[in-house]
Structure formats: structure tokens, C-alpha cells
Amino acid sequence: PSKIMRQTPDFKHFRILPALFFGLLAFSSAAPIPAQAAMKITTPMMNGTDFRAYGLTQFAIHGYELKREMVNALNFGLKNLIQRHEQTFGRRLPRTFTVRYRIFERFEDYQHFAQVKYKKRINKNVLGFFSPRGREIVTWKQDPVWRLLPTAQHEGCHAIMNAMFGPLPFWMIEGSADWFGEEPAWLQTKFLVNDKRDRWQRLDVLRRTGKLPRLDKYLLTDNYNDWAKMFDDEIGMGYDVGWSIFDFFVSAGQNAGVDWPQKIMAGAVHRAQQNPNVAPELVFARTLHEQWPMNPARKIKGIQSFEHGWHFWIEKNAKEAARAKIIEQQKRKQQR
């Protein structure tokens, strides 16, 4: 579980506007789901037998009423996320797949439960986490309440990926969740489009100043402390790098009309599954190094060749982001 926490020190990784939240909530005025007894930690809570099913989701709510509109929004988002994961990886989840959310009203109750059941020390920066062992997402109501949606969706991506593949490299766990959380067409608000552009430009600044991490080191990171050391306590940059690597695997090949980059990624994940006694980060990096083709112009291969292509991908997207921003500024001036 500690490898799949959502950690956002300055909230800069919340990627959904309040306006999007309220748009998704415009589904129903039905009665809210009643609160379950809070905050004594009971045997059903410890055993995970206190959930109630609502569509693709199951909920255990402690101390307040979860509005039906939020339930609808989470089900709507989860349905789209499942479809996109299945399209990307060519795999189907079982029809019985559900995501279980345990949501507390008070942060202190969420913190206490995490300590008692999972032996986790939670601070305000950890907005929620997914536990493969407990098969549940644990979070709290959050303030303002719209922040619950992106947190729940991000953790939902972890639940989907865990159901599809089991253990994954740390960078891929977080990078894919950020990518799927922003990529679907139904989330392409102006806010998210600008956020993606800002990410590419932040990464390009690192590229131009020689501060992007070496991938033979970054791909082997397996916890947030590694990212903190690598990025001078800016853990958010670890998310950005993982997000861009995942995008390079999936989107660069699609743009070029080929699917071999995505197949290499899928093959590396599959090999990690076949070697459960070896860290998935190490298995993935070795497989990538063995299978990524040589760059004949630079006479480099493996991870070095991949890294060169990844740098080019960042530069390309950053330039496109800059051009798009200029065009939008010009349009705004014309409209005045």
C-alpha cells in the first residue's frame, strides 16, 4: 500500500476544476446514502465486510452522508477509466470488478484507521491511498468537497491497474494514474488542457538545463523518498516524469502509426509478473534495455536510446504547448 499512496504536498496535482465536479454531479436529486456508524473501528471495518454496492462502486461511509450525486460522478468517471484502460492495454477486466471506497468525514478518523489497520502514518499530504491487500481505497471527505473526486479517481486508476497486472514499477503506478486521470476526452476541460501544457513546459525546462533524471536511475526508484532526493523534495516532479514516460510509450507510437513502443511496455510488465521474486522496477528496466531498438544515428541502444527519444518527445510537446498558448493569447486580444 505504501507504494500506491496519493501524495500531493502543495495540491498542484489536483487536475479537475470545481466546475467539472459540479457538472458531473448534475445527474440526480435522489436521497443520499446514509452514514454508517462512525468512528469506533469495528470488526467489519477491519475485515472489509461493511461495504454497500452502488453500480461499479462499493462504499463504506463513516460519519456523514455521501451525496448520491457524488456516487453518480464516481461511477461515471470509473466507467470511462475502465474503458480507457482496456483500450490501452487490450485487456478486459472481469465483469465482477468493482472499486471499494472507504471515506471518512474527518481527517483524524481516516488517519486513525490507516494507523490501526494498515500501520500507516498519514499526514495532510496523503489525501488517500489504495491498498491491494485490503482491496479498498481509503480517504476522507476533504475540503472543499470537490477535491474528493480527483483523489478518488486517481486511486481508482491504481485499483484498475492492480486488477489488470498486479505489482507494477513505482513510476508506472503513479505515472499511469496521472495520465489516465487527465487523458480521456470527457475530462478535456480548458483547465486540464492547460495543465498538460504546463507539465510539458516544466519538463522541458529540466531538459534544457540538464536536470532531467537519468532513466537508468529514475526507473529503479521505488518510493517517494527516492523522488524527494532526486528532485530536491519536489515529489510532484516525480509524478510529472512518470506521466511523461507513460505518455511516450502510449502516444508517441500512436502518432507515428506504430504500436511496438506500447508492446514493449506491455511485455516488460508481463515479464515482471512472471518474476514475482524480483523487484518489478528492476525487471522492467532490464527488459526495456534489452528490447528498445538501437538509434543508428547516435549509435546508442536500450535505455539510452529510449531516453533520447523521451527527451525529443518532451521537447516536441513543449513547443506545441507554447504555440497553443500564443494562439490563445492572440485570440483573447482579438476578442477584446
Side-chain angles (χ1 to χ4, degrees), residues 248-249 258-265 286-310:
F248 181 52
F249 272 117
V258 297
D259 62 359
W260 59 263
Q262 200 165 323
K263 286 183 175 180
I264 289 177
M265 178 177 68
R286 285 176 175 172
T287 306
L288 177 64
H289 188 64
E290 293 169 5
Q291 297 186 2
W292 197 263
M294 173 176 280
N295 182 323
R298 293 185 170 265
K299 297 181 179 179
I300 52 177
K301 62 180 182 179
I303 288 180
Q304 281 186 306
S305 177
F306 178 89
E307 187 170 80
H308 177 75
W310 172 58

Tab-separated table of all heavy atoms in Angstrom, residues 248-249 258-265 286-310:
chain	number	residue	atom	x	y	z
A	248	PHE	N	4.912	8.767	-23.455
A	248	PHE	CA	5.824	8.444	-24.545
A	248	PHE	C	5.588	7.023	-25.046
A	248	PHE	O	5.519	6.774	-26.258
A	248	PHE	CB	7.275	8.625	-24.081
A	248	PHE	CG	8.306	8.334	-25.136
A	248	PHE	CD1	8.248	8.935	-26.384
A	248	PHE	CD2	9.339	7.448	-24.881
A	248	PHE	CE1	9.202	8.668	-27.365
A	248	PHE	CE2	10.302	7.167	-25.842
A	248	PHE	CZ	10.228	7.767	-27.085
A	249	PHE	N	5.434	6.084	-24.125
A	249	PHE	CA	5.148	4.704	-24.518
A	249	PHE	C	3.852	4.608	-25.325
A	249	PHE	O	3.801	3.935	-26.359
A	249	PHE	CB	5.017	3.810	-23.282
A	249	PHE	CG	6.298	3.211	-22.792
A	249	PHE	CD1	6.783	3.526	-21.528
A	249	PHE	CD2	7.019	2.314	-23.561
A	249	PHE	CE1	7.958	2.960	-21.055
A	249	PHE	CE2	8.196	1.748	-23.110
A	249	PHE	CZ	8.668	2.074	-21.835
A	258	VAL	N	2.537	3.330	-35.239
A	258	VAL	CA	3.113	2.030	-34.877
A	258	VAL	C	2.686	1.695	-33.452
A	258	VAL	O	2.320	2.575	-32.672
A	258	VAL	CB	4.652	2.039	-34.985
A	258	VAL	CG1	5.072	2.293	-36.423
A	258	VAL	CG2	5.262	3.090	-34.056
A	259	ASP	N	2.738	0.419	-33.117
A	259	ASP	CA	2.339	0.018	-31.768
A	259	ASP	C	3.443	-0.680	-31.000
A	259	ASP	O	3.232	-1.131	-29.880
A	259	ASP	CB	1.105	-0.880	-31.824
A	259	ASP	CG	1.352	-2.174	-32.595
A	259	ASP	OD1	2.473	-2.361	-33.111
A	259	ASP	OD2	0.419	-2.995	-32.683
A	260	TRP	N	4.654	-0.764	-31.569
A	260	TRP	CA	5.707	-1.503	-30.879
A	260	TRP	C	6.162	-0.860	-29.561
A	260	TRP	O	6.519	-1.595	-28.621
A	260	TRP	CB	6.910	-1.773	-31.793
A	260	TRP	CG	7.601	-0.564	-32.369
A	260	TRP	CD1	7.401	-0.030	-33.594
A	260	TRP	CD2	8.615	0.222	-31.741
A	260	TRP	NE1	8.219	1.063	-33.785
A	260	TRP	CE2	8.975	1.225	-32.657
A	260	TRP	CE3	9.257	0.183	-30.500
A	260	TRP	CZ2	9.940	2.186	-32.367
A	260	TRP	CZ3	10.219	1.136	-30.206
A	260	TRP	CH2	10.555	2.120	-31.132
A	261	PRO	N	6.148	0.485	-29.405
A	261	PRO	CA	6.524	1.008	-28.076
A	261	PRO	C	5.577	0.523	-26.978
A	261	PRO	O	6.021	0.146	-25.888
A	261	PRO	CB	6.433	2.526	-28.265
A	261	PRO	CG	6.605	2.743	-29.727
A	261	PRO	CD	5.912	1.592	-30.366
A	262	GLN	N	4.286	0.517	-27.282
A	262	GLN	CA	3.309	0.068	-26.299
A	262	GLN	C	3.471	-1.423	-26.029
A	262	GLN	O	3.309	-1.879	-24.894
A	262	GLN	CB	1.900	0.362	-26.820
A	262	GLN	CG	0.835	0.386	-25.757
A	262	GLN	CD	-0.436	1.033	-26.265
A	262	GLN	OE1	-0.398	1.989	-27.034
A	262	GLN	NE2	-1.564	0.505	-25.844
A	263	LYS	N	3.817	-2.195	-27.060
A	263	LYS	CA	4.017	-3.636	-26.880
A	263	LYS	C	5.240	-3.916	-26.012
A	263	LYS	O	5.246	-4.865	-25.222
A	263	LYS	CB	4.149	-4.324	-28.235
A	263	LYS	CG	2.826	-4.440	-28.996
A	263	LYS	CD	2.998	-5.204	-30.295
A	263	LYS	CE	1.656	-5.414	-30.994
A	263	LYS	NZ	1.801	-6.149	-32.269
A	264	ILE	N	6.287	-3.097	-26.170
A	264	ILE	CA	7.469	-3.272	-25.326
A	264	ILE	C	7.111	-3.013	-23.872
A	264	ILE	O	7.517	-3.747	-22.970
A	264	ILE	CB	8.612	-2.351	-25.796
A	264	ILE	CG1	9.176	-2.855	-27.133
A	264	ILE	CG2	9.721	-2.265	-24.743
A	264	ILE	CD1	10.262	-1.976	-27.724
A	265	MET	N	6.326	-1.947	-23.621
A	265	MET	CA	5.891	-1.650	-22.263
A	265	MET	C	5.072	-2.814	-21.694
A	265	MET	O	5.318	-3.266	-20.574
A	265	MET	CB	5.066	-0.365	-22.225
A	265	MET	CG	4.538	-0.022	-20.832
A	265	MET	SD	3.633	1.546	-20.743
A	265	MET	CE	2.166	1.147	-21.719
A	286	ARG	N	15.364	-3.753	-17.017
A	286	ARG	CA	16.191	-4.707	-17.779
A	286	ARG	C	15.529	-5.061	-19.112
A	286	ARG	O	16.201	-5.134	-20.150
A	286	ARG	CB	16.398	-5.978	-16.949
A	286	ARG	CG	17.389	-5.826	-15.803
A	286	ARG	CD	17.447	-7.109	-14.981
A	286	ARG	NE	18.474	-7.038	-13.948
A	286	ARG	CZ	18.636	-7.960	-13.003
A	286	ARG	NH1	17.847	-9.034	-12.978
A	286	ARG	NH2	19.592	-7.841	-12.101
A	287	THR	N	14.211	-5.283	-19.063
A	287	THR	CA	13.502	-5.647	-20.291
A	287	THR	C	13.524	-4.503	-21.286
A	287	THR	O	13.734	-4.714	-22.490
A	287	THR	CB	12.050	-6.039	-19.961
A	287	THR	OG1	12.039	-7.061	-18.967
A	287	THR	CG2	11.334	-6.541	-21.209
A	288	LEU	N	13.295	-3.302	-20.798
A	288	LEU	CA	13.355	-2.135	-21.679
A	288	LEU	C	14.728	-2.013	-22.319
A	288	LEU	O	14.843	-1.750	-23.527
A	288	LEU	CB	13.023	-0.874	-20.878
A	288	LEU	CG	13.113	0.463	-21.641
A	288	LEU	CD1	12.090	0.510	-22.768
A	288	LEU	CD2	12.908	1.642	-20.686
A	289	HIS	N	15.768	-2.212	-21.532
A	289	HIS	CA	17.131	-2.084	-22.055
A	289	HIS	C	17.420	-3.136	-23.120
A	289	HIS	O	18.107	-2.864	-24.112
A	289	HIS	CB	18.143	-2.213	-20.915
A	289	HIS	CG	19.549	-1.913	-21.324
A	289	HIS	ND1	19.962	-0.666	-21.755
A	289	HIS	CD2	20.648	-2.712	-21.384
A	289	HIS	CE1	21.245	-0.697	-22.058
A	289	HIS	NE2	21.687	-1.938	-21.848
A	290	GLU	N	16.875	-4.324	-22.938
A	290	GLU	CA	17.103	-5.410	-23.892
A	290	GLU	C	16.319	-5.214	-25.188
A	290	GLU	O	16.800	-5.581	-26.276
A	290	GLU	CB	16.705	-6.749	-23.267
A	290	GLU	CG	17.580	-7.188	-22.111
A	290	GLU	CD	16.981	-8.371	-21.357
A	290	GLU	OE1	15.929	-8.889	-21.816
A	290	GLU	OE2	17.539	-8.773	-20.324
A	291	GLN	N	15.121	-4.636	-25.096
A	291	GLN	CA	14.206	-4.660	-26.235
A	291	GLN	C	14.082	-3.337	-26.987
A	291	GLN	O	13.632	-3.347	-28.142
A	291	GLN	CB	12.812	-5.113	-25.764
A	291	GLN	CG	12.791	-6.528	-25.219
A	291	GLN	CD	11.397	-7.012	-24.899
A	291	GLN	OE1	10.414	-6.322	-25.106
A	291	GLN	NE2	11.292	-8.233	-24.379
A	292	TRP	N	14.433	-2.217	-26.350
A	292	TRP	CA	14.276	-0.954	-27.076
A	292	TRP	C	15.313	-0.890	-28.192
A	292	TRP	O	16.491	-1.109	-27.958
A	292	TRP	CB	14.425	0.237	-26.136
A	292	TRP	CG	13.877	1.505	-26.745
A	292	TRP	CD1	14.582	2.480	-27.383
A	292	TRP	CD2	12.503	1.888	-26.805
A	292	TRP	NE1	13.735	3.465	-27.833
A	292	TRP	CE2	12.451	3.139	-27.492
A	292	TRP	CE3	11.316	1.309	-26.352
A	292	TRP	CZ2	11.255	3.796	-27.725
A	292	TRP	CZ3	10.124	1.979	-26.581
A	292	TRP	CH2	10.100	3.207	-27.257
A	293	PRO	N	14.897	-0.582	-29.426
A	293	PRO	CA	15.824	-0.663	-30.571
A	293	PRO	C	16.921	0.388	-30.540
A	293	PRO	O	16.798	1.435	-29.899
A	293	PRO	CB	14.897	-0.472	-31.774
A	293	PRO	CG	13.714	0.267	-31.238
A	293	PRO	CD	13.534	-0.208	-29.835
A	294	MET	N	17.965	0.079	-31.282
A	294	MET	CA	19.107	0.984	-31.372
A	294	MET	C	18.745	2.235	-32.159
A	294	MET	O	17.962	2.175	-33.114
A	294	MET	CB	20.290	0.281	-32.038
A	294	MET	CG	21.490	1.189	-32.328
A	294	MET	SD	22.906	0.313	-33.015
A	294	MET	CE	23.615	-0.378	-31.532
A	295	ASN	N	19.320	3.348	-31.781
A	295	ASN	CA	19.260	4.583	-32.562
A	295	ASN	C	20.512	4.609	-33.424
A	295	ASN	O	21.606	4.912	-32.937
A	295	ASN	CB	19.217	5.791	-31.623
A	295	ASN	CG	19.107	7.108	-32.365
A	295	ASN	OD1	19.690	7.280	-33.437
A	295	ASN	ND2	18.382	8.046	-31.789
A	296	PRO	N	20.389	4.265	-34.718
A	296	PRO	CA	21.595	4.127	-35.549
A	296	PRO	C	22.345	5.433	-35.740
A	296	PRO	O	23.569	5.437	-35.892
A	296	PRO	CB	21.040	3.604	-36.881
A	296	PRO	CG	19.602	3.993	-36.879
A	296	PRO	CD	19.168	3.976	-35.460
A	297	ALA	N	21.630	6.556	-35.758
A	297	ALA	CA	22.292	7.849	-35.962
A	297	ALA	C	23.226	8.170	-34.800
A	297	ALA	O	24.317	8.724	-35.005
A	297	ALA	CB	21.249	8.951	-36.123
A	298	ARG	N	22.812	7.826	-33.588
A	298	ARG	CA	23.626	8.142	-32.408
A	298	ARG	C	24.383	6.927	-31.872
A	298	ARG	O	25.156	7.053	-30.914
A	298	ARG	CB	22.748	8.732	-31.310
A	298	ARG	CG	22.191	10.097	-31.697
A	298	ARG	CD	21.416	10.726	-30.564
A	298	ARG	NE	21.096	12.098	-30.882
A	298	ARG	CZ	21.809	13.158	-30.507
A	298	ARG	NH1	22.907	12.982	-29.798
A	298	ARG	NH2	21.449	14.375	-30.827
A	299	LYS	N	24.114	5.762	-32.453
A	299	LYS	CA	24.786	4.533	-32.054
A	299	LYS	C	24.594	4.256	-30.555
A	299	LYS	O	25.544	3.943	-29.832
A	299	LYS	CB	26.268	4.577	-32.420
A	299	LYS	CG	26.507	4.672	-33.926
A	299	LYS	CD	27.987	4.679	-34.252
A	299	LYS	CE	28.189	4.760	-35.761
A	299	LYS	NZ	29.642	4.782	-36.138
A	300	ILE	N	23.364	4.412	-30.129
A	300	ILE	CA	23.011	4.096	-28.746
A	300	ILE	C	21.841	3.125	-28.762
A	300	ILE	O	21.060	3.090	-29.716
A	300	ILE	CB	22.639	5.358	-27.936
A	300	ILE	CG1	21.558	6.177	-28.669
A	300	ILE	CG2	23.859	6.206	-27.651
A	300	ILE	CD1	21.095	7.397	-27.907
A	301	LYS	N	21.684	2.351	-27.708
A	301	LYS	CA	20.618	1.359	-27.670
A	301	LYS	C	20.039	1.280	-26.264
A	301	LYS	O	20.527	1.904	-25.322
A	301	LYS	CB	21.134	-0.008	-28.107
A	301	LYS	CG	22.223	-0.579	-27.214
A	301	LYS	CD	22.680	-1.944	-27.710
A	301	LYS	CE	23.749	-2.520	-26.778
A	301	LYS	NZ	24.186	-3.868	-27.231
A	302	GLY	N	19.007	0.470	-26.143
A	302	GLY	CA	18.428	0.211	-24.845
A	302	GLY	C	17.893	1.463	-24.172
A	302	GLY	O	17.271	2.322	-24.797
A	303	ILE	N	18.140	1.588	-22.865
A	303	ILE	CA	17.610	2.711	-22.097
A	303	ILE	C	18.155	4.038	-22.610
A	303	ILE	O	17.435	5.046	-22.623
A	303	ILE	CB	17.923	2.526	-20.590
A	303	ILE	CG1	17.044	1.406	-20.019
A	303	ILE	CG2	17.685	3.822	-19.812
A	303	ILE	CD1	17.270	1.127	-18.546
A	304	GLN	N	19.388	4.072	-23.068
A	304	GLN	CA	19.942	5.317	-23.618
A	304	GLN	C	19.171	5.761	-24.853
A	304	GLN	O	18.872	6.946	-25.019
A	304	GLN	CB	21.419	5.123	-23.971
A	304	GLN	CG	22.356	5.193	-22.785
A	304	GLN	CD	23.802	5.149	-23.238
A	304	GLN	OE1	24.227	4.233	-23.963
A	304	GLN	NE2	24.577	6.128	-22.835
A	305	SER	N	18.860	4.815	-25.712
A	305	SER	CA	18.079	5.130	-26.914
A	305	SER	C	16.675	5.588	-26.530
A	305	SER	O	16.145	6.556	-27.096
A	305	SER	CB	18.010	3.898	-27.827
A	305	SER	OG	17.214	4.151	-28.965
A	306	PHE	N	16.071	4.890	-25.578
A	306	PHE	CA	14.750	5.291	-25.095
A	306	PHE	C	14.798	6.699	-24.517
A	306	PHE	O	13.922	7.533	-24.783
A	306	PHE	CB	14.264	4.299	-24.034
A	306	PHE	CG	12.935	4.642	-23.432
A	306	PHE	CD1	11.762	4.189	-24.008
A	306	PHE	CD2	12.855	5.426	-22.286
A	306	PHE	CE1	10.517	4.521	-23.460
A	306	PHE	CE2	11.626	5.750	-21.725
A	306	PHE	CZ	10.453	5.297	-22.310
A	307	GLU	N	15.819	6.975	-23.735
A	307	GLU	CA	15.940	8.284	-23.088
A	307	GLU	C	16.075	9.402	-24.116
A	307	GLU	O	15.479	10.476	-23.973
A	307	GLU	CB	17.155	8.281	-22.158
A	307	GLU	CG	17.307	9.514	-21.305
A	307	GLU	CD	18.393	9.312	-20.255
A	307	GLU	OE1	19.584	9.447	-20.609
A	307	GLU	OE2	18.046	9.003	-19.101
A	308	HIS	N	16.820	9.141	-25.187
A	308	HIS	CA	16.960	10.143	-26.242
A	308	HIS	C	15.601	10.432	-26.879
A	308	HIS	O	15.242	11.599	-27.110
A	308	HIS	CB	17.945	9.644	-27.302
A	308	HIS	CG	18.100	10.575	-28.463
A	308	HIS	ND1	18.808	11.757	-28.396
A	308	HIS	CD2	17.601	10.509	-29.737
A	308	HIS	CE1	18.758	12.383	-29.556
A	308	HIS	NE2	18.035	11.645	-30.387
A	309	GLY	N	14.830	9.382	-27.178
A	309	GLY	CA	13.502	9.581	-27.750
A	309	GLY	C	12.565	10.294	-26.793
A	309	GLY	O	11.757	11.140	-27.209
A	310	TRP	N	12.673	9.971	-25.507
A	310	TRP	CA	11.844	10.622	-24.486
A	310	TRP	C	12.162	12.111	-24.410
A	310	TRP	O	11.251	12.939	-24.333
A	310	TRP	CB	12.077	9.927	-23.150
A	310	TRP	CG	11.451	10.574	-21.955
A	310	TRP	CD1	10.133	10.847	-21.752
A	310	TRP	CD2	12.139	11.017	-20.777
A	310	TRP	NE1	9.945	11.435	-20.515
A	310	TRP	CE2	11.155	11.548	-19.897
A	310	TRP	CE3	13.476	11.011	-20.368
A	310	TRP	CZ2	11.486	12.065	-18.642
A	310	TRP	CZ3	13.800	11.513	-19.119
A	310	TRP	CH2	12.816	12.040	-18.279
